[in-house]
Amino acid sequence: MFSEEHQLADLLNQFNTTADTGQNRLVYSEQWLHNQKTLILLGQKYGAKATVDDYGNVSLEFPGQEATLPIATGSHMDTVRQGGRYDGLYGVIGGFCAIQKVYQQGSLPKKPLRLISFSEEEGSRFPAAFTGSKHYTGQQQQVAALVDETGITFAQARENAIKQLQAMPDVRRQRAPLPANFTELHIEQGPRLSQAHQSIGLVTGIVAQNRYNVTVHGQANHAGTTPMAQRQDAIATASRLMASLYDLVDKSSNSLTFTIGEIRVSPNVSNVIAESCTFTIDCREESDERLATFLSAMNKVIKQFDNVTIEQTLHVPATLLSQALRKQNAEIATQMKFPFRELFSGAGHDSQIMSTVVPTTMIFVPSKSGISHAPAEYTKMSDLLIGVALLTASLSAQANEA
Amino acid sequence: MFSEEHQLADLLNQFNTTADTGQNRLVYSEQWLHNQKTLILLGQKYGAKATVDDYGNVSLEFPGQEATLPIATGSHMDTVRQGGRYDGLYGVIGGFCAIQKVYQQGSLPKKPLRLISFSEEEGSRFPAAFTGSKHYTGQQQQVAALVDETGITFAQARENAIKQLQAMPDVRRQRAPLPANFTELHIEQGPRLSQAHQSIGLVTGIVAQNRYNVTVHGQANHAGTTPMAQRQDAIATASRLMASLYDLVDKSSNSLTFTIGEIRVSPNVSNVIAESCTFTIDCREESDERLATFLSAMNKVIKQFDNVTIEQTLHVPATLLSQALRKQNAEIATQMKFPFRELFSGAGHDSQIMSTVVPTTMIFVPSKSGISHAPAEYTKMSDLLIGVALLTASLSAQANEA
C-alpha cells in the first residue's frame, strides 16, 4: 500500500494549501484556477484528453478499447470559505488515483474512463449552487448577473478564469458529451460511519430539502418608555415561534433535520424594541411525503402567530440514486471485506444533478466526528485508501462489462 | 404667544439640520461643536457669562440681585445616530427661552439663573453615557481610551473640540461650581402623556435598570448531516430560553419593562447549526426591590438551561427626584390650568446624575405616538410652549424665593 498512500497524500497536499484559515478555493479564484490547470496537466501527462466547458468544468478522458460512452467519476473543485481538505477534492484526486490503478492492472479497459472536476457545487462565492454540474447536464441557469461580496459578477469572474483554462495547449473547448454513468467518491460530512466504525457508505439517495426566510414584523420603540402592553416586539414573537417549531420537530420523524441557522434583527440595538426579526429554516427529509407532512404542520404553527410572513427560498425533491450501481458496489465491498452500510445523504451533491440524466451512485468515507465545512474536517488515510480501492474495483468492473 | 412661538421655532430650526437622516449630533462632532459655539454666542449676546469645562459642558450664567448659588436648567446637546429634533435640545433651547422670559418680566430675579448644555448623554459615539453630567458633578470616569467606530479615542475627539470652545472670547475654562438645584425640561419619549391628552408630566423618579448579555453555547455543524439527537443547537436553546423569559415577564409587575433588542449568532449561516447565540436583556423597574425580585426569578429560569452564560453589563439603581420641586411645579401647573400627571421616567436622563448632588426635578412634554430616537420624533408646538411656560414660572418662583 505504500506507493498508493504516497500518491494520494502527495496529490492532496499539492492541491490544498497549508493556511490556518483552511481551504478557500472559491469558484474562479486564483487557487481554484491553479488547481484546475494543475489537474489538466496531470491528466494530459497520463494520456487523457482534456475538455473545458464554458463554466470551467474539466473532463479528462482516458482511452478504452471500444469507442463507447465513458464510465465517469469525479466531484467538485471548489470549497466553502474556510473549508476542509477533503470535501470535493477527495472525489477528484481519489478518482484520478482509482483510474490510474485501473490502467496499472494491465490491459486497456473496454470502455473509456472519464474524470470530472466540476467547477462549483458549494454556492459559497455567488448565491447559486451546483452551477458546474447543472451546466454539465445542460440545465439553463440565470446566474450571469449574480455578484460576489466584492461586487464582481459571475459572468466577469467566469470569463477571466475560463479564458485561461481554454487557452491551455490541447484543451478542447466544449461541453463534454454525457458519460454512460457517474460514480462520486466523497466524505460523508456526518458522524454515522465514524460512529459505527464503518469505512464505506453506499448512498441510497439524497434528502429532499426546503428552505425559508420567516420574518416577524414588529414596531421599533424605546425599550424604557414603551409599556409592555403596547409593544409589538418582533423578538418576543419570533422566540415563541421558533420554540414552537423546535417543539414540533421533537415530535416528527427520525429522518427529519430542522435547522434555524441564521437570525437577523433590525435595528438590533439592546435598548430598542425590535422592528423585525428574520430567521431561516433549513428542513430536510429522506422522503418527499414525510417532508410535505412536516411542512404542512409547520405552516399551521406559523399561522397561529400574527404579523409573520414566510418566503420559500429553496425546494429540492428527494433524489434516489441508481439501485443497480449501488448493488454492484455492495457486492464488491462484501468481496473486499470492507465494512459498509447503505445510507441517505443529508447534504446535497453533484450526484443529485447528474442522476437526472445518467445512472449515478456515490461512495462515502467517514468524517471524523462528522465535522465538515471547517479546517478540522478529517478522514484517516486508511479510510481514504479503502474508498479509492472500492472505486478502483467499481470502475474496473463497470468499464469491462459488456 | 406669537413671538414666543417664533423664537422657540426659530432656535430649534437653527440648532437642527434638515437632513432626511435626522439629527446626528454625536458628541465632539462638527455639528455638535457648531451648536455649542452658537449657544455660547447667543448667551453672551443676552448678558450671560459662559463657562466651558474639560468635557465641553457649557454653562451660561445670567445675573441675579444676590450673589447666591444659581437656579439651573438645561439638558444635553448630543443626539443618538439618526435622532430626533427634540431629545436633549428642547431642554437647552426651551431653557434659554424660559430664562429670557424671566428677565422680560421686569426686575432682575433675586438669584442668578444658569443654563447648562451638557456635552453628552446618549452614549452613541463612545460606549459610555452621561459623560457630560458625570463630569459636571465631579465623578471620576475611565473614558479617555474608549474608541468610536472610526478608531478615534474619546481623549482625541474631546481635546480637538474643547480647544476650540475654550479659545472663544470671554469664555471661562473651568468646571462650573454646582448650582443650587436643577430642573430639566425634556420630551417624554413614551406614549403616556399623548395617549392621556396631557401636556405636562412631572417626573417622580427614573427607573432602575440592569442590562445583560446572555450567551448560549452550541456546536457548529452541518445542517443536513448531523442527526437531531446529536446536535447542540445554540438557537434551539436560545429561542426556548427567550420564550421562557417573555412568559415570566407576562406574570410580573406592570411597571417592569423587559426588552431583548439584540441577537448575534455565530456563524449565522442558514445551513450551519449555530455555534453560539448571544442576546441582550434590558430590564427596568420603578422599584429597586421589584427589579431584584424579577432578576432573581429570571436567573432561576436561565439556570434551568444548559450551556448558558450571563454577563451583567449595566446596573443603575432607581432614582427618586426632588419631591419639593415636583410639588412646587404641580402647584404652578394647577394654577396655570395645564393638564398634567406625575409619572416615572423609563428612560435615563442627566437628571439622575444631577440628583446625586443637588435637588433635581424634570418636566416632560408629550411625544407623538411615543416615538423617540428617530427622525419621526415630534411634539406639537402648543405642548412645547406649555412646557416652556411652566419652566418659566418655575424658574421665576425658585429664583425669587427667600
Side-chain angles (χ1 to χ4, degrees):
Chain A
M1 291 283 263
F2 176 75
S3 74
E4 282 164 31
E5 177 175 342
H6 194 70
Q7 183 187 33
L8 183 60
D10 248 22
L11 286 172
L12 285 171
N13 285 338
Q14 194 180 332
F15 280 77
N16 278 316
T17 70
T18 55
D20 284 348
T21 50
Q23 307 307 315
N24 290 278
R25 216 155 45 231
L26 301 192
V27 66
Y28 308 139
S29 65
E30 277 306 306
Q31 187 62 37
W32 175 94
L33 185 59
H34 174 79
N35 274 18
Q36 292 289 61
K37 279 183 185 168
T38 306
L39 185 72
I40 290 168
L41 295 173
L42 183 70
Q44 288 175 330
K45 184 174 157 191
Y46 283 88
K49 285 187 177 155
T51 302
V52 175
D53 66 23
D54 287 344
Y55 273 60
N57 294 304
V58 171
S59 299
L60 294 171
E61 196 142 331
F62 298 84
Q65 295 173 28
E66 300 167 3
T68 57
L69 292 181
I71 303 300
T73 189
S75 190
H76 58 95
M77 185 52 83
D78 70 318
T79 66
V80 296
R81 288 176 206 281
Q82 304 192 12
R85 292 167 51 85
Y86 306 96
D87 182 0
L89 186 65
Y90 171 57
V92 177
I93 298 301
F96 175 80
C97 292
I99 290 174
Q100 287 311 303
K101 282 174 71 181
V102 171
Y103 284 90
Q104 286 161 9
Q105 284 165 355
S107 58
L108 213 57
K110 277 192 195 164
K111 297 175 188 172
L113 290 171
R114 182 189 293 176
L115 178 68
I116 305 172
S117 174
F118 291 111
S119 54
E120 188 280 324
E121 185 256 16
E122 300 285 5
S124 285
R125 178 169 180 183
F126 300 97
F130 306 111
T131 55
S133 50
K134 282 183 175 174
H135 182 73
Y136 208 87
T137 56
Q139 287 189 33
Q140 292 293 324
Q141 298 179 79
Q142 305 288 331
V143 293
L146 298 177
V147 290
D148 70 7
E149 62 174 17
T150 68
I152 296 174
T153 66
F154 188 93
Q156 290 165 333
R158 184 182 67 175
E159 191 187 338
N160 174 53
I162 301 322
K163 209 166 27 181
Q164 296 191 51
L165 290 179
Q166 293 187 337
M168 290 175 71
D170 301 321
V171 164
R172 212 174 312 168
R173 308 170 195 184
Q174 65 169 68
R175 187 153 70 200
L178 290 174
N181 56 32
F182 180 65
T183 302
E184 184 172 11
L185 182 64
H186 206 282
I187 56 169
E188 182 197 349
Q189 305 181 274
R192 288 167 296 177
L193 293 177
S194 74
Q195 282 172 2
H197 303 289
Q198 289 162 322
S199 299
I200 293 292
L202 300 176
V203 180
T204 47
I206 296 171
V207 293
Q209 187 177 156
N210 272 29
R211 292 193 196 172
Y212 302 91
N213 289 331
V214 180
T215 300
V216 179
H217 305 275
Q219 195 176 308
N221 222 325
H222 193 294
T225 59
T226 313
M228 294 306 284
Q230 294 181 31
R231 296 181 176 212
Q232 280 182 267
D233 179 339
I235 292 180
T237 304
S239 60
R240 284 167 164 150
L241 171 54
M242 291 189 288
S244 299
L245 293 175
Y246 278 109
D247 287 346
L248 182 70
V249 172
D250 286 348
K251 295 172 221 142
S252 300
S253 93
N254 276 332
S255 53
L256 178 84
T257 62
F258 175 90
T259 308
I260 296 174
E262 189 177 341
I263 303 178
R264 300 210 180 271
V265 176
S266 173
N268 213 30
V269 173
S270 69
N271 58 352
V272 178
I273 298 163
E275 170 102 29
S276 71
C277 178
T278 298
F279 60 88
T280 58
I281 292 175
D282 174 313
C283 196
R284 310 185 193 196
E285 246 290 359
E286 295 178 7
S287 140
D288 288 325
E289 290 68 34
R290 286 198 303 271
L291 182 61
T293 302
F294 174 78
L295 294 177
S296 160
M298 181 183 94
N299 278 306
K300 266 185 207 152
V301 168
I302 292 174
K303 277 192 185 129
Q304 290 162 13
F305 289 77
D306 291 331
N307 302 314
V308 178
T309 53
I310 179 164
E311 170 204 13
Q312 182 175 305
T313 54
L314 186 75
H315 169 65
V316 180
T319 305
L320 288 177
L321 300 184
S322 162
Q323 268 191 298
L325 287 172
R326 187 176 78 246
K327 200 174 159 223
Q328 187 180 38
N329 284 341
E331 282 162 9
I332 298 171
T334 304
Q335 281 167 21
M336 295 177 88
K337 300 199 164 68
F338 294 150
F340 74 94
R341 73 188 298 181
E342 302 199 329
L343 80 186
F344 240 78
S345 170
H349 291 288
D350 292 312
S351 284
Q352 74 197 57
I353 308 298
M354 290 299 281
S355 74
T356 62
V357 290
V358 296
T360 295
T361 196
M362 289 194 81
I363 299 169
F364 277 172
V365 295
S367 293
K368 187 183 176 189
S369 307
I371 294 168
S372 183
H373 285 188
E377 184 180 276
Y378 179 73
T379 303
K380 62 183 179 192
M381 183 50 73
S382 58
D383 284 334
L384 293 174
L385 290 170
I386 286 173
V388 172
L390 176 60
L391 179 63
T392 304
S394 179
L395 292 178
S396 178
Q398 290 179 60
N400 287 305
E401 64 202 8
Chain B
M1 289 281 264
F2 175 76
S3 74
E4 283 164 30
E5 177 176 340
H6 193 70
Q7 183 186 35
L8 183 61
D10 247 21
L11 285 172
L12 285 171
N13 284 339
Q14 193 181 334
F15 281 76
N16 279 315
T17 70
T18 55
D20 284 348
T21 50
Q23 307 306 316
N24 289 278
R25 215 156 47 231
L26 301 192
V27 67
Y28 308 139
S29 65
E30 278 306 306
Q31 186 62 38
W32 176 93
L33 185 59
H34 173 79
N35 275 17
Q36 292 289 62
K37 280 184 183 168
T38 306
L39 185 72
I40 290 168
L41 295 174
L42 183 70
Q44 289 175 330
K45 183 175 157 193
Y46 284 85
K49 286 187 177 157
T51 302
V52 175
D53 67 22
D54 288 344
Y55 273 59
N57 293 305
V58 171
S59 299
L60 294 172
E61 195 142 331
F62 298 83
Q65 295 171 27
E66 301 167 4
T68 58
L69 292 181
I71 303 300
T73 189
S75 189
H76 57 96
M77 185 52 83
D78 70 319
T79 66
V80 296
R81 288 177 205 280
Q82 304 191 11
R85 292 167 52 86
Y86 305 96
D87 182 0
L89 185 66
Y90 171 57
V92 177
I93 298 301
F96 175 80
C97 292
I99 290 174
Q100 286 314 302
K101 281 175 72 182
V102 172
Y103 284 89
Q104 286 160 8
Q105 284 165 355
S107 60
L108 214 57
K110 278 193 193 163
K111 299 176 188 171
L113 290 171
R114 182 189 293 176
L115 178 67
I116 305 173
S117 174
F118 291 113
S119 53
E120 190 279 323
E121 185 256 15
E122 299 285 4
S124 286
R125 179 170 180 181
F126 300 97
F130 306 110
T131 55
S133 50
K134 283 182 174 174
H135 182 73
Y136 207 88
T137 56
Q139 288 189 33
Q140 291 294 323
Q141 298 180 78
Q142 306 287 330
V143 292
L146 298 178
V147 289
D148 70 7
E149 61 175 17
T150 69
I152 297 174
T153 66
F154 187 93
Q156 289 164 335
R158 183 182 68 176
E159 192 187 339
N160 175 54
I162 302 321
K163 210 167 24 182
Q164 295 191 52
L165 289 179
Q166 293 186 338
M168 290 175 71
D170 300 320
V171 164
R172 212 175 311 168
R173 309 171 194 183
Q174 67 169 67
R175 187 153 70 199
L178 290 174
N181 56 31
F182 180 65
T183 302
E184 184 173 9
L185 181 64
H186 206 283
I187 56 169
E188 182 197 349
Q189 305 182 275
R192 288 168 296 179
L193 294 178
S194 73
Q195 282 171 2
H197 302 288
Q198 290 163 321
S199 299
I200 293 291
L202 299 177
V203 181
T204 47
I206 297 172
V207 292
Q209 186 176 158
N210 272 28
R211 292 192 197 173
Y212 301 91
N213 289 331
V214 180
T215 299
V216 179
H217 306 275
Q219 195 177 308
N221 222 325
H222 194 295
T225 60
T226 313
M228 294 307 285
Q230 294 182 29
R231 296 180 176 212
Q232 281 183 268
D233 179 339
I235 292 180
T237 305
S239 60
R240 283 166 165 150
L241 171 53
M242 291 189 288
S244 299
L245 294 174
Y246 278 109
D247 287 346
L248 183 69
V249 172
D250 287 348
K251 295 172 221 141
S252 300
S253 91
N254 276 332
S255 53
L256 178 83
T257 62
F258 175 90
T259 308
I260 296 174
E262 189 177 341
I263 303 178
R264 300 210 181 269
V265 176
S266 173
N268 213 30
V269 173
S270 68
N271 58 352
V272 178
I273 298 162
E275 172 101 28
S276 71
C277 178
T278 298
F279 60 89
T280 57
I281 291 174
D282 175 311
C283 197
R284 310 186 192 196
E285 246 290 0
E286 295 178 7
S287 141
D288 287 324
E289 290 67 33
R290 285 197 304 269
L291 182 60
T293 303
F294 174 78
L295 294 177
S296 159
M298 182 184 92
N299 278 306
K300 265 186 207 153
V301 168
I302 292 173
K303 276 191 186 130
Q304 290 163 12
F305 289 77
D306 291 331
N307 302 312
V308 179
T309 53
I310 180 165
E311 171 205 11
Q312 183 176 304
T313 53
L314 185 75
H315 168 65
V316 181
T319 306
L320 288 177
L321 300 184
S322 163
Q323 270 191 298
L325 287 173
R326 186 175 77 246
K327 202 174 156 223
Q328 187 178 38
N329 284 340
E331 284 162 10
I332 298 172
T334 303
Q335 283 166 19
M336 296 179 85
K337 299 199 166 67
F338 294 149
F340 74 94
R341 73 189 297 179
E342 303 200 326
L343 80 187
F344 240 78
S345 171
H349 292 288
D350 291 313
S351 284
Q352 75 196 57
I353 308 298
M354 290 299 282
S355 74
T356 62
V357 291
V358 296
T360 295
T361 196
M362 288 194 83
I363 298 169
F364 277 173
V365 294
S367 294
K368 186 184 175 189
S369 307
I371 295 169
S372 183
H373 285 188
E377 184 180 278
Y378 180 75
T379 303
K380 62 184 179 192
M381 182 50 72
S382 57
D383 285 333
L384 293 174
L385 290 171
I386 287 173
V388 172
L390 177 59
L391 179 63
T392 303
S394 177
L395 292 177
S396 179
Q398 292 179 59
N400 286 304
E401 66 201 8

